[in-house]
Coordinates of all heavy atoms in Angstrom, one line a residue:
E78 N -40.7 9.6 15.7 CA -39.8 8.5 15.6 C -38.7 8.7 14.5 O -37.5 8.3 14.8 CB -40.5 7.2 15.3 CG -41.4 6.7 16.5 CD -42.2 5.4 16.2 OE1 -41.9 4.8 15.2 OE2 -43.0 5.1 17.1
L82 N -34.7 8.9 15.2 CA -33.8 8.1 14.5 C -32.7 8.9 13.9 O -31.5 8.6 13.9 CB -34.5 7.3 13.4 CG -33.6 6.5 12.5 CD1 -32.9 5.4 13.2 CD2 -34.5 5.8 11.3
I93 N -18.0 7.8 15.8 CA -17.1 7.0 15.1 C -16.5 7.7 13.8 O -16.0 7.0 12.9 CB -17.7 5.6 14.7 CG1 -18.9 5.8 13.7 CG2 -18.1 4.9 16.0 CD1 -19.4 4.5 13.1
D101 N -4.3 14.1 9.3 CA -3.5 14.3 10.5 C -4.4 14.2 11.8 O -4.0 13.6 12.8 CB -2.8 15.7 10.5 CG -3.8 16.9 10.3 OD1 -4.9 16.7 9.9 OD2 -3.4 18.0 10.7
T104 N -5.4 10.4 12.3 CA -4.4 9.6 12.9 C -4.2 9.9 14.4 O -3.8 9.0 15.1 CB -3.0 9.7 12.1 OG1 -2.6 11.1 12.1 CG2 -3.2 9.1 10.7
R109 N -4.9 7.4 19.7 CA -5.6 7.4 21.0 C -6.4 6.1 21.2 O -6.5 5.6 22.3 CB -6.6 8.6 21.1 CG -5.8 10.0 21.2 CD -6.8 11.1 21.3 NE -6.1 12.4 21.4 CZ -6.3 13.4 20.6 NH1 -7.2 13.4 19.7 NH2 -5.6 14.5 20.7
R140 N -2.3 -4.0 14.7 CA -2.5 -4.2 13.3 C -3.4 -3.0 12.8 O -4.5 -3.2 12.3 CB -3.2 -5.5 13.1 CG -2.3 -6.7 13.6 CD -3.0 -8.0 13.7 NE -3.6 -8.4 12.4 CZ -4.2 -9.5 12.2 NH1 -4.3 -10.4 13.2 NH2 -4.7 -9.9 11.1
I149 N -13.4 1.3 8.8 CA -14.0 2.2 7.8 C -15.0 1.5 6.9 O -16.1 1.9 6.7 CB -12.9 2.8 6.9 CG1 -12.0 3.8 7.8 CG2 -13.5 3.6 5.7 CD1 -10.7 4.3 7.1
A154 N -18.2 3.8 6.8 CA -18.7 4.1 5.4 C -20.2 3.7 5.3 O -20.9 4.6 4.8 CB -17.9 3.3 4.4
W170 N -25.4 17.9 -3.6 CA -25.7 17.0 -4.7 C -25.3 17.8 -6.0 O -25.8 18.9 -6.1 CB -27.1 16.6 -4.8 CG -27.5 15.6 -3.7 CD1 -28.0 15.9 -2.5 CD2 -27.2 14.2 -3.7 NE1 -28.2 14.8 -1.7 CE2 -27.7 13.7 -2.4 CE3 -26.7 13.3 -4.6 CZ2 -27.6 12.4 -2.1 CZ3 -26.6 12.0 -4.2 CH2 -27.1 11.5 -3.0
I173 N -24.3 15.1 -12.7 CA -23.2 14.4 -13.3 C -23.6 14.0 -14.7 O -24.8 13.9 -15.0 CB -22.7 13.2 -12.5 CG1 -23.9 12.2 -12.3 CG2 -22.1 13.6 -11.2 CD1 -23.5 10.9 -11.7
D178 N -21.4 9.0 -14.3 CA -22.3 8.0 -13.6 C -21.7 6.6 -13.8 O -21.6 5.8 -12.9 CB -23.7 8.1 -14.1 CG -24.6 7.0 -13.5 OD1 -24.6 6.9 -12.2 OD2 -25.1 6.2 -14.2
T183 N -19.0 1.8 -11.8 CA -18.0 0.7 -12.2 C -16.7 0.9 -11.6 O -15.8 0.2 -11.8 CB -17.9 0.6 -13.7 OG1 -17.4 1.8 -14.2 CG2 -19.2 0.2 -14.4
L188 N -15.2 1.2 -1.4 CA -16.3 1.9 -0.7 C -17.4 2.3 -1.7 O -18.4 2.8 -1.3 CB -15.7 3.1 0.0 CG -14.7 2.8 1.0 CD1 -14.2 4.1 1.7 CD2 -15.2 1.8 2.1
M196 N -30.4 10.0 -5.4 CA -30.6 10.5 -6.7 C -29.7 9.8 -7.7 O -28.8 10.3 -8.3 CB -30.2 12.0 -6.7 CG -31.0 12.9 -5.9 SD -30.3 14.6 -6.0 CE -31.6 15.6 -5.5
H198 N -27.9 8.1 -10.8 CA -27.7 8.3 -12.3 C -27.8 9.7 -12.7 O -27.6 10.0 -13.9 CB -28.6 7.4 -13.1 CG -28.6 6.0 -12.6 ND1 -27.5 5.2 -12.6 CD2 -29.6 5.2 -12.1 CE1 -27.8 4.0 -12.1 NE2 -29.1 4.0 -11.8
K201 N -24.3 13.2 -8.0 CA -23.5 12.6 -7.0 C -23.4 13.5 -5.8 O -23.5 14.7 -5.9 CB -22.1 12.2 -7.5 CG -21.2 13.4 -7.8 CD -19.8 12.9 -8.2 CE -18.9 14.1 -8.5 NZ -17.6 13.7 -8.9
N209 N -12.4 12.9 2.6 CA -11.5 12.4 3.6 C -11.6 10.9 3.9 O -10.7 10.2 4.0 CB -11.8 13.2 5.0 CG -11.4 14.7 4.9 OD1 -10.6 15.1 4.0 ND2 -12.0 15.4 5.8
I238 N 2.5 1.4 11.9 CA 1.6 2.0 12.9 C 1.8 3.5 12.8 O 2.8 4.0 12.3 CB 1.9 1.5 14.3 CG1 0.8 2.0 15.3 CG2 3.2 1.9 14.8 CD1 0.9 1.3 16.6
V239 N 0.8 4.2 13.3 CA 0.9 5.7 13.3 C 1.8 6.0 14.6 O 1.4 5.8 15.7 CB -0.5 6.3 13.5 CG1 -0.3 7.8 13.6 CG2 -1.3 5.9 12.3
T245 N 1.0 13.5 9.1 CA 0.8 14.0 7.8 C 0.6 12.8 6.8 O 1.3 11.8 6.9 CB 1.9 14.9 7.3 OG1 3.2 14.2 7.5 CG2 1.9 16.2 8.1

Side-chain angles (χ1 to χ4, degrees):
E78 289 179 10
L82 175 62
I93 66 171
D101 61 337
T104 55
R109 288 177 182 131
R140 298 167 59 177
I149 292 169
W170 290 96
I173 58 173
D178 175 56
T183 61
L188 301 180
M196 297 176 162
H198 313 300
K201 72 175 180 178
N209 293 339
I238 189 169
V239 178
T245 52

